[in-house]
Amino acid sequence: MFGISIAVAKKNRLIIKRAYPWSFMWSRVSGAFFALAVPIMLYYFVFGQTVSEDFKAFADGSDYLNYIVWGAAMNVLSFSTLMNVGRCLITELREGTLDNFLISPASRAGYYLGTYAEQLLRSLLEALLIIIFGFIAGARFAPENIPEVFVCIIISSMAFFSLSILVSTIMVYTRDTYLVQNTIFLCMSCICEVAFPIEFLPGWVGRIANIFPLTPALTITRACLSGTFSLEDYRNEMIRIIVLSMVYFLTGYFGFIKYEKKLIEEVLA
Amino acid sequence: MIEATDLYKNYLIKSGHIWKRKKESKEAVRGISLAIRPGQITGLLGVNGAGKTTTIKMLTTMISPTSGTIVIDGIDAVTNFMEAKKKLNLITGGERNIYWRLTAVENLEYFGSLYGMKKAELKSRIDEVLKIVDLEDQKDIPVEKYSKGMKQRLQIARGLINDPAYLFMDEPTLGLDIVITKSIHDYITKLAKNENKGILITTHYIFEAEELCDFIYVIDGGKIIASGTPQEIKLLYRPKKRFRITAAMLTDETVNTLKKLNDNDMEIIISQESHSFEMKTERSNVQKIIGVLRKHDIDISNIETVDPTLEDALYDMVSGERRG
Ligand SMILES: Nc1ncnc2c1ncn2[C@@H]1O[C@H](COP(=O)(O)OP(=O)(O)O)[C@@H](O)[C@H]1O
Ligand SMILES: [Mg+2]
């Protein structure tokens, strides 16, 4: 299985290197960059660095700058993973290169894992660029919390990977990338505590937000950042991330395995 | 040897919407039995929609037959398909299916890994297959710079990467020009004779089946309607002669009268530009046609016989079978 992963990662690496050197990454990073610039300027110049008491109560100990910078960074990490891994199968399907994979006895899970591994460094780098920008804009956090934050990021990244497998199956099944990716992205950016706490929204929106792993991932990352994280206090978030990951991975993976035969009947004419 | 016995495939077609879902079943293959032997090229010849691709998909274990058995060198390919997959590979026509941004070697490394091949084994196998298809000198050039023929050869190399005992080719020369087709045919023959591969090729070109195959199955409507060596297939039917008559421009009226002559066994193809028409018919009808043309005062400048093509032969055979 890992042999397949390595081969897929190598193949994707070469194709990315030759096809779209930096443009994809640039568009995502610059998008997040501008999305971040507006609230930062408002914060400094309009609101004179004051935030409401409500915000302070809901923000898990985070100050406003840290809150939006890490929201944007994790949002980029989540979206890149969803796009890079979620679109892998449908891209190959559209380009006609999926057939050879389907007729081979290669491990399907190995394929996803290889795709994930290949893009991991790239999407982490995208998130890092956002954080550096935030740092320049004045966001500060204690260096001793970095190891914990890093563990959070890795756990979150794996949760995003699980969701991307389900996204991948949905895309192949509906043969659509545009609607799926834009719906998910918009939803997540608005309701998953990227820029403001869920508590400001009606309760039912909060319940929808909780089906995305990004929401609990952000909660624990922010807690780690401010040094207030403990497994006991954040047990619910941890359980939620693990359960969501498993559910997304299993439905996505077995959904694809089940749909695969039908897919072969339809393609390869 | 691959032995398939009494294969059936029904596709379920779902239509309608969520309230009222209709389920139809389409019998694409209806009781096909065939054998593929090592070192031999077996042909599956049939018109579009005959069931060739469906048959290949079943033989390559991509879809399961509705009923019937497939045994590949003693392995039950219907139940033990992961084992069977290792013994075979499929080559389809067209230029897609390979990564254009990668070189030949990079493509083959990836495809070999899909079959769990290890580095050292893979390297020597890549050299071997590139040699077979004569791409050694271009092996480090990205595929997007390849000509159509070179891409096609790389497809063949890809199909050989796991050293399959049996190779399936679904219309491998579809849409290729004569020169490329000829070279692909040479490679296919080489694979059977020198590498002892058992090859199944589907085609709707009779000349291709005749030129390449050691044994031919003619398939129509999901059934095998004839089988034999190319010589035997030729003897099985006697296509009607064609006559080409060149005459002055025909009026609609004349065409209508000619069409009325048209009994079941005659077919008239009119080409207005070249002032000629062609008939596929018995000699006796020629007299009737000349009669009609004389009556309409149309000058006949030439009458010649045209040798029946193999396409005609297939057409005759298929339509005879459908009627009978
Ligand atoms: N996935 C499918 N679902 C329903 N019907 C199909 C499917 N694939 C092929 N068919 C039908 O089965 C018949 C045989 O198709 P096919 O095997 O592709 O023929 P060929 O390769 O000889 O052109 C055709 O009538 C075709 O429309
Ligand atoms: Mg076909």
Side-chain angles (χ1 to χ4, degrees), chain A residues 265, chain B residues 11 13 26 28 47-54:
Chain A
E265 281 186 10
Chain B
Y11 286 115
I13 307 166
K26 157 101 202 165
V47 295
N48 274 336
K52 302 183 294 293
T53 301
T54 304

Side-chain angles (χ1 to χ4, degrees), chain B residues 36-42 165-166 188-199 214:
Chain B
I36 305 167
R37 296 184 168 76
Q40 282 207 355
I41 303 175
T42 307
Y166 301 95
I188 296 175
T189 312
K190 203 161 100 179
L191 291 177
K193 302 298 168 257
N194 301 354
E195 314 277 318
N196 201 38
K197 304 285 180 211
I199 295 176
D214 300 299

Side-chain angles (χ1 to χ4, degrees), chain B residues 47-117:
Chain B
V47 295
N48 274 336
K52 302 183 294 293
T53 301
T54 304
T55 306
I56 273 208
K57 283 182 185 172
M58 287 191 284
L59 293 173
T60 50
T61 76
M62 285 189 281
I63 59 178
S64 354
T66 308
S67 68
T69 58
I70 304 168
V71 180
I72 301 184
D73 291 340
I75 300 169
D76 183 336
V78 180
T79 53
N80 198 359
F81 52 88
M82 275 299 177
E83 232 11 74
K85 272 180 201 280
K86 294 179 188 161
K87 288 189 153 280
L88 40 94
N89 211 326
L90 170 76
I91 295 170
T92 44
E95 302 172 70
R96 301 174 59 177
N97 247 331
I98 38 180
Y99 298 95
W100 285 30
R101 307 224 184 238
L102 304 188
T103 66
V105 171
E106 289 162 351
N107 264 292
L108 294 173
E109 274 173 355
Y110 174 67
F111 292 125
S113 307
L114 292 183
Y115 288 86
M117 295 174 79

